[in-house]
Amino acid sequence: MKNFYLLLLLTVSPFFVFAQNDDFDEIIERDILGYGNINLEVREKKQVIGAARSSKSAEELPVTVYVITHDDIITHGYVTLCDVLKNVPGIRVAQPAGAELGEGFMQRGMTGNTYSKILINGVDVKPSGSVGMPLSANLPIRQAERIEIVYGPASASYGNDACGGVINIVTKSPDEKGFTSADIMIGSGGKQYLNFNTGIKIGHGKHVAAISFYGSNLNVNEMNLPDGSDAEVYNRWNYFLQHGQEIQIQAVDGNVYNISQEMISESMFEKYNFLFDDMKYYFVNYKGDFLYPEICKRPQKATQLGAEVKYRAFSFSYNLMHRMDYTNHGVSPFTYNYSDPNSLFGEYIHRFVVSSDIQAGIFTSNTSLHLIHYRMDENSYRSVNWDKNNLYFWGASDDLGLEENMEFKISDKFSINGGGSFTYTGVLPKTTDNSTKFDFKSYKMFSEKSDFKYPILGSWGIYPFTYWQAGAYMQADYDFSPVNITAGLRYDYSSQWGASLNPRIAFLWKVTDKFNIRASEGFAYKSPAANQLYYTVSVAMENPQAPNGYVIAYHHIPTVGKLTPEHISATEVGLRYNLNKTNYLELVGYTNRVRDPLFRTMYAMNDISNYIEKYGVWMTTDENSDYIVPGYFSVGITDLMNANNDRKYTRAYINESDAKSKLYSLQLIGVFKDIIKPIHLNISGSYTYAIGEETLTIYNNGEKEVTKINYVRGVPKSLAQISIDFDFWKILHLRADNIYSSKVSRKYYEGIDNKFYWAPSYYDLDLVLSAKFTKKLSAMMKVTNVTNELYGGMDAFEMDVDLNYNPQLLRTFTFGITYDF
C-alpha cells in the first residue's frame, strides 16, 4: 500500500506545475442529465458509439443504447462498474456477488459478467481463464470519458460473450489539452480509496504524442454485511432444509432418521450424538454456535493502473487489474468457514494493446493486437469446515488476439462495416482445492502440460490446453429517411467448440419529429468457459476410518461428454415519444430465449465407467494416465452425514437439450428534466415487468425428471428504479436513487416448492449529496442502503451450497473530495 501511494505522489507531482496553465482552469460546469446517470441527448457533434460498431449517435441507433458521462461518474461517486449500472433501467446488481465474480449484474435475465461483452476503448478485457469478468474497483471507471451500454445480442458483431449486450468503457484522453485530476474517499469499515488521472501532450505539429496515465487503489477493512446474529439466512442447517421439510440422516446404527425443522436443536444432537459420529470429521474446522457461524471481518481490495500513448495513427495501452474479495461470500456456513478474514480470492489481469487507425476518403480502418495475461493471485484460498488447512486455488490463461474493423462510408445514407478476428488461447482451468499451493513455475504461457503433482491427488485437476478461434462479420447501415435499417452477420469457428453463425437485423422508423419506433431481432452464442469444461473440486479429507487415512471427496468432476455453445435469440420493440429536446417517454418490450443451456447436474459415480471405478480409483481409458488416484476411499458429495460414507453422486457440467428458458419483459422509461427550473429538479425512472418460463431437468437420485416453472430464475417480476435530483444553495446537489425489487428465485432448483429458493422483495434507497466549491474543487457524501435493508443479490455459485439468498451491504457511508489541477 505504501509503495502505491509513493508511486502516485511521484507520478502526479510533476504535473502540479501545469496546473498554472489557463487550459487547466477551464472546466465544464456540471450539466444535470437525463435518466439520472444516463445521457441520450444528441450533441452538436455526433458521438461515436464504439460498443455498437457504428459511428452514429445514440439516438440514431435502432437498438437500445445508454451513455453514462464522466460528469455523472464523478458527481455521484461511482467507483465500480456495478455502481454505474445500479440505476440503469432493468439492470440488477449484486455488491458483492461472490468470490469468482466479485460484484455482479444481471442484464435482461443473464449474468452480465459472463453473457455481456465488457471492453476498454473497444477492446476485450475478459480473460478465458475466468468463468466471467471479475468486477470490483479494478476497471478505469472514474477515468472514463463515457461508458456505452448496448442492450441485446451483439454476436453478429462481437462473437462470443456478447449475448446480453456490450459495455464499452472509453477512457479520457488529452486529445485537445492536458489534464490532471485526483480524488480520495474514506468511509465505513475503514474504506480508503485513492484515484488519479493525468494526460499530457508532447511535441509540435504533426509529431505530437498524447500520453495518459491513471490508477486507483481501494482498501476496505470490513464490508458492512450482516453477520450470523443479524440474519436467519446464515442458519447453517438451511443447507439441508432447502431439500425439503425434513433432513434424512442414516446413522451408525443402520437406521434412517427423519429430522424436522422443529427438531433441530443443540440438545437433540447432544442426546443422539452417538448416531451421528461421522459428523465430527466434517466439522473439524467449524467455529460458532449450533445455529450460527462465527463471522469475521470481510475485507475488499482492488488496484488498477493504466497507461496509453497515442502517436499519429498508432497507440499503445496497458492495463493492470487486481482485486481480492472474501472467498466465502454467499455460501453455506454448514460447508464453508466464515471465521478467517484472510480467506480471499483474487487475480491479476494484465492487458496489452497495440492499435492503429487509418482513414483515407470513405475508408476507415482500425487494427488491434492484444494480449490478456491472467493469473490467479497465488494467495487465493478457501477456508472450509472439513479441513483445518487452507485450500488453495490456481488458474491461468493467455489470450493473444488480432482484430480488424473497417468502415466504408459510401454516402451520408449508406455505410458498410466489416472485419475479422483471430484469437489463440492457452488456459489452465481452476485446479482442485488443495492444501498445497500450485507451483507457479510448472506452467508456461500456451503450454499443454505441467509437471506439478499434488501429494495425494497427483495430476488430478491439472488440465492445461490450447485452442484458437477465428471469425468474420459484416454490417450494413442504410438510411432512407424516415427509416434506418441495420443488418449484420457474423461467422465464428472455434477449434474447441465448433462453428456458429449469428445474424442481426434492426430498424428505426421516425414517424414524426417527436415519435419513433424501433425493432430488432438478434442471435448470439455463448461458448463454454474453460472452467466449465474442466471444472474440478476434489479434496482429500483425513479420516482414520478410511484406507490410508484419507477420503477423496469428488465435489465436482470435469465434463462427462462434449460441451457445446449455448444459443440465445432476442426480439425487441421500442416506442419513444420526445416531449421536448430533453424529456421523453419510452416503452420497450423484449424477449430472450436460451437453448442448450449449460448447467451442473448430478452423476452417479459408479455409473461413470470411463471416470470412476467403484473402489475409489479415478481413471481414464488410458491405463498409464496420471489422473489415476489409487489406494484411497472415494466418495461423492451427497449424504454428507452418512456414517457409512456411501456418497454416490457428484457434479458435472452438461448441455441439456430438454432445458430452455424464455423471458418476456415490458419496460416503461420516463425522463423529466428541469421540472422546476430554479432548482433544476429532475425526475426519471423505469419500471420493468418480467414474466417467463423455464423448462428444467432435475436429477433425483440419478433419475432425470423434466419440470416447467412459470418464471425465470434470478429475474424479479417487478423492478422499479426512480431517481430524483435537484440543486440548492447554488453549490449543492442532492440525488436520491430508489429501487424496489419483487422477490427473486435462486438459480439452484430441485423441483419442489420451498421458501429457501426465494430471496425476499426489498426497497433500497441511496443518497448522494455533492458540492462544487470552485471550478477545481468538489466534494460528495454518499449513503448507500439508507434504510439498512437486509436483502439479497445474485447467487454466489448457483449451487445448493449457496445461502438461500446472498446478503448485500447494509448502510454504508462514503465521503470524497475531487480536485482538478
Side-chain angles (χ1 to χ4, degrees), residues 431-446:
T431 63
T432 58
D433 296 353
N434 203 287
S435 57
T436 303
K437 284 187 178 182
F438 185 85
D439 182 5
F440 288 74
K441 297 179 181 179
S442 68
Y443 175 76
K444 305 298 183 183
M445 293 176 60
F446 305 111

Side-chain angles (χ1 to χ4, degrees), residues 283-347:
F283 298 130
V284 66
N285 198 38
Y286 176 76
K287 295 178 177 63
D289 61 28
F290 183 77
L291 294 176
Y292 299 106
E294 175 186 316
I295 296 183
C296 65
K297 295 181 179 180
R298 285 163 283 182
Q300 181 184 24
K301 303 176 183 179
T303 300
Q304 62 98 16
L305 290 171
E308 184 176 46
V309 179
K310 293 182 179 179
Y311 178 72
R312 306 187 73 171
F314 300 93
S315 69
F316 168 81
S317 64
Y318 166 75
N319 291 92
L320 163 65
M321 292 156 277
H322 177 248
R323 61 98 199 186
M324 295 290 283
D325 283 287
Y326 185 70
T327 307
N328 291 335
H329 276 312
V331 294
S332 172
F334 183 89
T335 305
Y336 298 102
N337 183 282
Y338 272 80
S339 65
D340 183 359
N342 297 313
S343 176
L344 300 174
F345 183 108
E347 68 284 305

